[in-house]
């Protein structure tokens, strides 16, 4: 805690957008309006267009949010994706020096960045650079990621809404699959962490499931990056369920990998486009799903017999900005933004905002906001705890208890 | 009109399921319960498992729905996909003889079949076979298809809910695309007819759009099977929008075809799986989207320069059984089922139920149910009227007026 520097605030959004990232943006803005702007400490709230690009480039690309009325902010909050625009830039030392330069030019004393662990790292470096240069600026990281892979957090804003989409999609798709039979593979986002794919298990509507995959409600099989993927076991699993039921619904993370940690996707893909982070592109392409479908078709076609009906859907970008959110997610995303503004007003020198679950009693889920050091969240990725997985091809009741309160009420369906 | 034969009723569901096909099932059942069952003309209402398979096979696979309580029926009605199970079987003459045999064994005098134009054709053949054999049976076709391609109908149950999904998906995805830029291709179901893909245009939130694709709200470009697809024009269109905006959202039907009527999908695909109807598999595979993305990347990468960010999502099966429907669709799907039971009670010898729009005044959309000869609906496919398309790469205001009342209220979003 220390005396509050007087100047302007900058806020930006980074990485893959979510359905509730604008809730966090609005949370910061309204928190500042009622706090540091009202007290005269902050003169202007400046939105950075396309994240740090908006402050790093000459002249800047900034939008004044200082006097934005509550009514307008409410509409923005309910709008999916990043209203300021986002960026995939992962600033290195030099880039961070440019950011600091832009901040000084605009007299930024409070820096808020909404994003994943890369964004926390940007905050950390900029914070350090400012300190080295003797320029007083306070950096706050506001969590966001559908991957749910930030350390120090029970879960992250954006995850619950995407999980709700994945659950609903598997509910509808399971009924579709049951009506016509065959094998259905659904590829879900999640490069390092399986949380989002695991949400498919909520489509079953029950906590406990059988060790025998053929006795589980759909999805019968779920594969996540945390559990080594063995192609032979996968094909045996599918064969077991399909032979017993004439159908099989499978959820699979885009980031499944073998025992050596090598991703399965690129091994099945035709092309291998690499993004700015050196990662092979897995989303926005149906290649992993199609590759798995080909493998299943090949393995399960009897000699001289008919190939089973195998279909693959890659959920792709629909799952992260679907315009119907989990209500808890929307509230919490707003809350982490407000909390960041509050920490700034309270004189904190910088932090990463966190979500802590305080009650998981059924029907009485509660959470509160905390803070962690930027360095504790930056770069690190959280993986699913071991007890969220079961039997190499399933998700446990422990995950159900963890995730169910977050996605909100689900529809109930009938059966003939 | 004639004396009503006494006996049992059979009901089945056929083809690709929809989010509201169980509404039609329940409509028929409750219509019969209150009509021909109450009057003692129909003894049993028998559900055929997996469509005509459930009656054609020895012994049959039938479920008694006669006394099913209204409360149970209501839950079934709100359940996506075909609760009785569905089938892709397209019965030939011999198969239809087996169906008739099953009907005689079970004393079926009223035959209801919910499905597309293939199902209408099954009704037609079975009807004829029964007449030839001097067996009195009345066959009713209840319309269903997300493709919206049945003749004699203003639109068909299942379409509006799928259209709502496609619209919402494009709304969220347009904001996603705007936040990070690049080219986004969305492949929508629709082999012969472009209605469902055209629904992407509702995501714009406005009727009229510019001749210049770069001046339209997203989706900037929309391609349907009814308009010949010219690869060079497509690439020029994308280049025009991307050069102007740094982004481009594209909706494309899985069934787009060239001027000679040859589908583009198979021309870009690795494998060429053929289904029971002799069609190459287009859904449940990301191949068309990936193929178009490859072509765009190749064409738009400057010599020695950086490839643009191009992503493709194939909406696949999610769009047909998404568990949140258009409310008008749900009501009409229930209504066509009830109407079929009513026509049976009124002594009609057989018909295909139709939907007629009676008012399109904004805020006062109305429809009623009619009937057509089975032969007028059987096999024929309806295509989009010419005036639903514009400029070779766009959808018109006339389509907007047609489709908007069906999908129901859409969310409103903000912009910074």
């Amino acid at each position: 805690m220390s005396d509050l520097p007087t100047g302007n605030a900058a806020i930006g959004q980074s990485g893959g957008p979510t359905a509730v990232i604008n809730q966090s943006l609005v949370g910061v803005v309204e928190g500042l309006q009622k706090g540091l702007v009202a007290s005269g400490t902050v003169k202007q709230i400046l939105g950075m267009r396309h994240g740090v690009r908006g402050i790093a480039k000459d002249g800047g690309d900034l939008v004044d949010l200082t006097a934005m009325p509550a009514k307008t902010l409410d509409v923005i909050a309910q709008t999916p994706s990043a209203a300021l625009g986002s960026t995939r830039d992962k600033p290195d030392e030099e880039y961070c020096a440019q950011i600091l330069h832009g901040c000084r030019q605009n007299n930024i004393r409070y820096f808020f960045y909404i994003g994943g662990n890369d964004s926390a790292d940007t905050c950390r470096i900029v914070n350090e650079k400012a300190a080295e240069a003797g320029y007083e600026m306070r950096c706050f990281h506001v969590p966001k990621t559908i991957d749910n892979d930030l350390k120090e957090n029970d879960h992250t804003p954006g995850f619950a809404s995407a999980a709700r989409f994945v659950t609903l999609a598997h509910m509808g798709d399971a009924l579709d699959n049951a009506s016509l039979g065959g094998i259905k593979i659904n590829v879900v986002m999640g490069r390092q962490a399986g949380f989002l794919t695991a949400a498919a298990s909520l489509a079953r509507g029950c906590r406990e499931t059988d060790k025998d995959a053929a006795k589980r409600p759909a999805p019968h099989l779920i594969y996540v990056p945390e559990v080594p993927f063995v192609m032979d076991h996968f094909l045996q699993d599918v064969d077991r369920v399909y032979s017993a039921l004439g159908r099989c619904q499978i959820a699979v993370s885009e980031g499944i990998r073998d025992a050596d940690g090598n991703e399965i996707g690129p091994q099945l893909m035709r092309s291998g486009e690499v993004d700015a982070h050196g990662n092979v592109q897995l989303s926005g392409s149906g290649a992993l799903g199609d590759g798995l479908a080909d493998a299943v078709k090949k393995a399960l076609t009897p000699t001289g017999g008919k190939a089973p009906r195998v279909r693959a859907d890659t959920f792709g970008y629909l799952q992260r900005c679907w315009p119907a959110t989990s209500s808890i997610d929307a509230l919490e995303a707003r809350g982490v933004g407000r909390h960041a503004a509050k920490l700034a007003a309270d004189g904190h020198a910088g932090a990463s905002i966190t979500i802590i679950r305080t009650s998981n009693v059924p029907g009485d889920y509660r959470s509160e906001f905390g803070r962690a050091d930027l360095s504790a969240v930056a770069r690190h990725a959280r993986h699913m705890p071991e007890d969220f997985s079961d039997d190499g091809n399933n998700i446990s009741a422990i995950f159900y208890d963890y995730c169910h309160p977050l996605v909100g009420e689900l529809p109930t369906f009938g059966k003939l």
Side-chain angles (χ1 to χ4, degrees), chain A:
Chain A
M1 314 288 168
S2 60
D3 285 347
L4 295 169
T6 304
N8 296 322
I11 174 164
Q13 298 171 301
S14 179
T18 78
V20 297
I21 186 171
N22 286 333
Q23 292 279 3
S24 297
L25 169 68
V26 167
V28 174
V29 172
E30 66 189 5
L32 287 172
Q33 283 177 336
K34 287 169 194 159
L36 291 173
V37 170
S39 70
T41 310
V42 163
K43 304 298 171 202
Q44 278 193 304
I45 307 169
L46 299 171
M48 301 182 279
R49 291 271 184 209
H50 295 286
V52 287
R53 280 193 193 195
I55 192 97
K57 78 170 175 189
D58 264 342
D61 191 356
L62 301 161
V63 50
D64 192 340
L65 306 170
T66 321
M68 188 153 282
K71 217 170 152 181
T72 312
L73 288 175
D74 272 335
V75 177
I76 295 290
Q78 285 159 46
T79 301
S81 190
L84 287 170
S86 191
T87 177
R88 285 267 175 221
D89 288 357
K90 184 175 154 33
D92 54 13
E93 295 280 321
E94 197 193 318
Y95 197 129
C96 284
Q98 278 178 285
I99 294 169
L100 181 59
H101 178 73
C103 286
R104 296 184 83 140
Q105 274 192 323
N106 291 283
N107 193 28
I108 304 298
R109 298 294 176 169
Y110 302 90
F111 185 89
F112 298 89
Y113 211 34
I114 311 167
N117 47 26
D118 284 348
S119 306
D121 201 38
T122 301
C123 279
R124 184 188 62 79
I125 304 175
V126 171
N127 214 21
E128 280 174 17
K129 288 227 169 286
E132 280 166 26
Y135 177 74
E136 188 164 17
M137 184 166 77
R138 296 166 178 204
C139 296
F140 298 89
H141 168 244
V142 180
K144 169 244 59 163
T145 165
I146 63 164
D147 290 339
N148 201 35
D149 64 350
L150 295 191
K151 294 234 174 193
E152 308 287 332
N153 286 271
D154 178 79
H155 59 280
T156 49
F159 167 65
S161 295
R164 185 174 175 80
F165 179 92
V166 168
T167 303
L168 288 171
H170 277 88
M171 290 179 83
D173 183 69
L175 294 162
D176 189 316
N177 178 244
S179 79
L180 283 166
I183 295 153
K184 180 69 196 301
I185 301 165
N186 293 322
V187 179
V188 180
M189 276 185 173
R191 184 129 202 157
Q192 308 284 343
F195 296 101
L196 193 55
T197 305
S201 66
L202 300 186
R204 296 165 175 165
C206 58
R207 289 180 77 243
E208 306 275 357
T209 51
D210 207 280
K211 228 182 153 52
D212 179 355
K215 291 183 182 155
R216 296 172 197 155
H220 307 96
L221 300 165
I222 304 175
Y223 302 92
V224 292
E226 286 86 351
V227 179
F229 184 87
V230 183
M231 185 60 89
D232 282 348
H233 296 175
F234 165 70
L235 296 172
Q236 284 159 21
D237 289 346
V238 177
D239 191 21
R240 158 86 197 121
V241 177
Y242 182 64
S243 302
L245 305 178
R247 67 190 160 88
C248 181
Q249 192 197 33
I250 305 153
V252 79
S253 291
E254 60 181 358
I256 48 165
R257 55 199 67 214
D258 62 25
D260 297 327
N262 299 314
E263 289 186 347
I264 305 299
Q267 299 173 33
L268 297 171
M269 285 164 79
R270 285 167 296 170
S271 71
E273 190 191 328
V274 169
D275 70 15
H277 301 221
N279 297 323
V280 173
Q281 178 206 327
L282 289 179
S283 287
S285 148
L288 172 61
D290 288 354
L292 290 174
D294 288 349
V296 167
K297 229 176 277 178
K298 206 173 147 197
L300 268 65
T301 304
T303 317
K306 204 173 154 272
R309 182 176 177 267
V310 188
R311 299 289 182 266
D313 276 335
T314 302
F315 288 3
Y317 294 97
L318 300 192
Q319 61 203 307
R320 69 185 191 190
C321 285
W322 185 253
T325 59
S326 140
S327 46
I328 282 179
D329 196 23
L331 281 172
E332 289 182 338
R334 188 80 155 249
V336 289
R338 283 184 187 147
H339 196 70
K342 186 183 178 298
L343 289 189
D346 288 350
H348 285 274
S352 180
I353 314 305
T354 59
I355 297 183
I356 302 142
R357 188 180 311 220
T358 52
S359 162
N360 205 37
V361 176
D364 188 32
Y365 164 86
R366 276 182 253 170
S367 65
E368 59 184 40
F369 308 116
R371 65 194 161 84
D373 284 347
L374 289 167
S375 59
V377 176
R379 278 174 307 166
H380 303 295
R382 186 168 72 113
H383 295 279
M384 288 219 300
E386 262 186 43
D387 60 7
F388 279 10
S389 294
D390 251 350
D391 304 319
N393 61 22
N394 199 14
I395 296 302
S396 72
I398 298 167
F399 175 83
Y400 184 93
D401 295 338
Y402 165 80
C403 194
H404 192 257
L406 305 179
V407 302
E409 215 174 315
L410 296 168
T412 355
F413 296 141
K415 214 177 148 180
L416 282 181

